[in-house]
Amino acid sequence: MSQEIAGSSRKRQRRSVADRNSSSRVPDRLKFNVGGKIFETTKTTLANAASSSFFSALLNDRWNSDTDEIFIDRDPKCFGALLNLLRTGELCIPGSVTKDFFYKEALYYGLEGHLQAAVRGNLNGNLLRLSHFVSVSHAWEKGNIIRASPNGGLCVAHGNVVRTFDSWNVVGYPPICLNKDNRIYDILWCDSRNVMITTSRRDVALLNLVTGELSHCISSGIVKSSRPLIFKTLCMHSDHRNEVFSGASFEDTGESVGVEIWDPTRGKLTSSIHWTDADGYGSIRTLHWVSWMNCLLAIIHRASGDLVLLTIDPRENSCRFRFRKFLHKPVRFVEGAVDESGNNICLMDQCMNVVIFDSRNQHLNSWSVSKDACNVALSGTNSRLQSIHCYRGQLYACTRSNIFVLSGSDWVITSKVRSIGGSICDISIGGDRLFALHNDPDVINVWETPRP
């Protein structure tokens, strides 16, 4: 009797294992019929794809397929190359396939990130290589703004014209033209297809990059004032993509009066945060979302040359705390940036001296780059500092003729590259690429770090 009970128990265990295996609809080996050609691979290979990819659903236990073969009506040559990319991380585009067509196939499968990682490594300012040039054709005004998307796409403003470029070959889409008397102040990437712009006609607009369609346009803000307001700087919440912040200023003086919060998906302004001060705060230079503080940082310049750091809590619709005149040095600060990797705020003056603000201790550390060394580095006629950017623990400082890279805990200059073209008017970083916009002629330098 005991033997029969034990045998019955083993049978029930085997049936239970079989039921669990049968409940998983995805076998370890998968067979694809792509355009009439058969491919066979494993779940391990497909698991290398991103969670948002075409293949992620195949790894779900709830996948229901009554056939042993999955048919995909796409190009088989591209599918084979992309499958090898998942297996080895190496890219080999078939000779009979153009790069643009291959990129479109990678987009279909959601593998554009793997494509990017295969052709270039993580951006390292000390190992930059000039990849190629992009000419901005028919630019009847000089470029003034360049913004890179997180995946390496590009958006450039020339007066009242917006030009956008894809993230693979940096090939331009048809230009988007605003009214002739309008001028673009700032550009913000909302997603892979849409950008938000602020203009001199007091507009905040959402544009589709490919079609040029105007999705939403807000011409009046929530901040109430008897004097006309303009909205220049833009910033997006890093976690909540439906929150975009725009700085509001008086049109006649440029004096900042507050920040407005806009929902780009609905095309509506949702709330505002405004302040009043007898002395005036000055002009908002940049806005940054500081994720480790969960607040908005406004870097404000005053006419006297003083710098104001204003941290804003949008949940409370109020300023959390503020710093003013915290430096007693006879210098004028030009730009600020947020170092997410080190939880610091970096400030730089006209001589490329750097101040690191530690928000956790609410005090400023000592100067980390000597003025003498910086003056030597900045000697020349085109030495005026334009802007700075923090990316993966490095600081990129742009003058009109060079791009300096500062690294390490002391933020010392470790590299300098001379971008080719006319004067540099702006730089931007995205998708492990550094873009430099030049004038006379209008050309974009694309810098990358080769794969090891």
Side-chain angles (χ1 to χ4, degrees), residues 183-221:
R183 185 171 184 83
I184 299 165
Y185 283 146
D186 201 2
I187 305 171
L188 174 71
W189 284 85
C190 295
D191 52 47
S192 60
R193 295 179 64 87
N194 296 283
V195 294
M196 187 178 292
I197 62 172
T198 55
T199 73
S200 58
R201 296 184 65 179
R202 304 190 294 276
D203 293 334
V204 179
L206 190 69
L207 298 173
N208 185 289
L209 301 177
V210 180
T211 65
E213 179 184 1
L214 178 66
S215 301
H216 305 293
C217 184
I218 303 297
S219 58
S220 61

Side-chain angles (χ1 to χ4, degrees), residues 94-142:
S96 59
V97 176
T98 64
K99 291 180 65 177
D100 288 340
F101 183 77
F102 189 83
Y103 178 68
K104 291 177 181 177
E105 291 294 290
L107 283 177
Y108 175 81
Y109 295 109
L111 298 178
E112 62 272 20
H114 291 73
L115 204 59
Q116 172 184 313
V119 297
R120 56 183 180 267
N122 295 331
L123 187 68
N124 185 334
N126 299 321
L127 302 173
L128 289 177
R129 181 191 66 185
L130 184 59
S131 173
H132 57 284
F133 303 93
V134 179
S135 296
V136 185
S137 59
H138 309 294
W140 52 87
E141 281 197 49
K142 292 182 179 182

Side-chain angles (χ1 to χ4, degrees), residues 79-277:
F79 184 86
L82 291 170
L83 197 59
N84 284 331
L85 178 62
L86 290 177
R87 288 176 180 139
T88 65
E90 300 294 329
L91 178 63
C92 183
I93 301 177
S96 59
V97 176
T98 64
K99 291 180 65 177
D100 288 340
F101 183 77
F102 189 83
Y103 178 68
K104 291 177 181 177
E105 291 294 290
L107 283 177
Y108 175 81
Y109 295 109
L111 298 178
E112 62 272 20
H114 291 73
L115 204 59
Q116 172 184 313
V119 297
R120 56 183 180 267
N122 295 331
L123 187 68
N124 185 334
N126 299 321
L127 302 173
L128 289 177
R129 181 191 66 185
L130 184 59
S131 173
H132 57 284
F133 303 93
V134 179
S135 296
V136 185
S137 59
H138 309 294
W140 52 87
E141 281 197 49
K142 292 182 179 182
N144 58 313
I145 302 172
I146 186 169
R147 297 289 185 268
S149 71
N151 66 348
L154 199 59
C155 190
V156 180
H158 288 77
N160 67 325
V161 179
V162 181
R163 287 177 170 82
T164 56
F165 302 82
D166 71 13
S167 60
W168 176 235
N169 283 329
V170 199
V171 174
Y173 296 113
I176 303 170
C177 300
L178 307 180
N179 294 330
K180 188 175 181 180
D181 59 343
N182 215 345
R183 185 171 184 83
I184 299 165
Y185 283 146
D186 201 2
I187 305 171
L188 174 71
W189 284 85
C190 295
D191 52 47
S192 60
R193 295 179 64 87
N194 296 283
V195 294
M196 187 178 292
I197 62 172
T198 55
T199 73
S200 58
R201 296 184 65 179
R202 304 190 294 276
D203 293 334
V204 179
L206 190 69
L207 298 173
N208 185 289
L209 301 177
V210 180
T211 65
E213 179 184 1
L214 178 66
S215 301
H216 305 293
C217 184
I218 303 297
S219 58
S220 61
I222 293 178
V223 174
K224 301 301 181 182
S225 173
S226 58
R227 297 157 61 185
L229 299 178
I230 56 174
F231 313 98
K232 286 189 175 183
T233 53
L234 289 169
C235 174
M236 178 175 281
H237 196 299
S238 59
D239 297 323
H240 305 291
R241 309 298 288 181
N242 61 337
E243 285 189 355
V244 171
F245 308 97
S246 62
S249 305
F250 290 127
E251 186 176 26
D252 52 355
T253 64
E255 199 83 358
S256 63
V257 294
V259 171
E260 298 192 331
I261 305 174
W262 190 41
D263 183 351
T265 59
R266 296 186 298 156
K268 293 183 178 180
L269 285 162
T270 58
S271 62
S272 67
I273 305 167
H274 65 277
W275 47 78
T276 57
D277 188 89

Side-chain angles (χ1 to χ4, degrees), residues 35-97:
K37 187 173 181 180
I38 304 300
F39 296 87
E40 195 167 349
T41 187
T42 65
K43 290 173 60 176
T44 303
T45 297
L46 296 185
N48 293 325
S51 58
S52 59
S53 71
F54 173 89
F55 302 106
S56 61
L58 302 181
L59 304 179
N60 195 315
D61 288 344
R62 291 173 294 179
W63 172 265
N64 188 2
S65 178
D66 297 330
T67 63
D68 296 332
E69 185 178 283
I70 301 170
F71 178 75
I72 305 176
D73 191 16
R74 304 295 293 191
D75 184 88
K77 295 187 293 294
C78 293
F79 184 86
L82 291 170
L83 197 59
N84 284 331
L85 178 62
L86 290 177
R87 288 176 180 139
T88 65
E90 300 294 329
L91 178 63
C92 183
I93 301 177
S96 59
V97 176

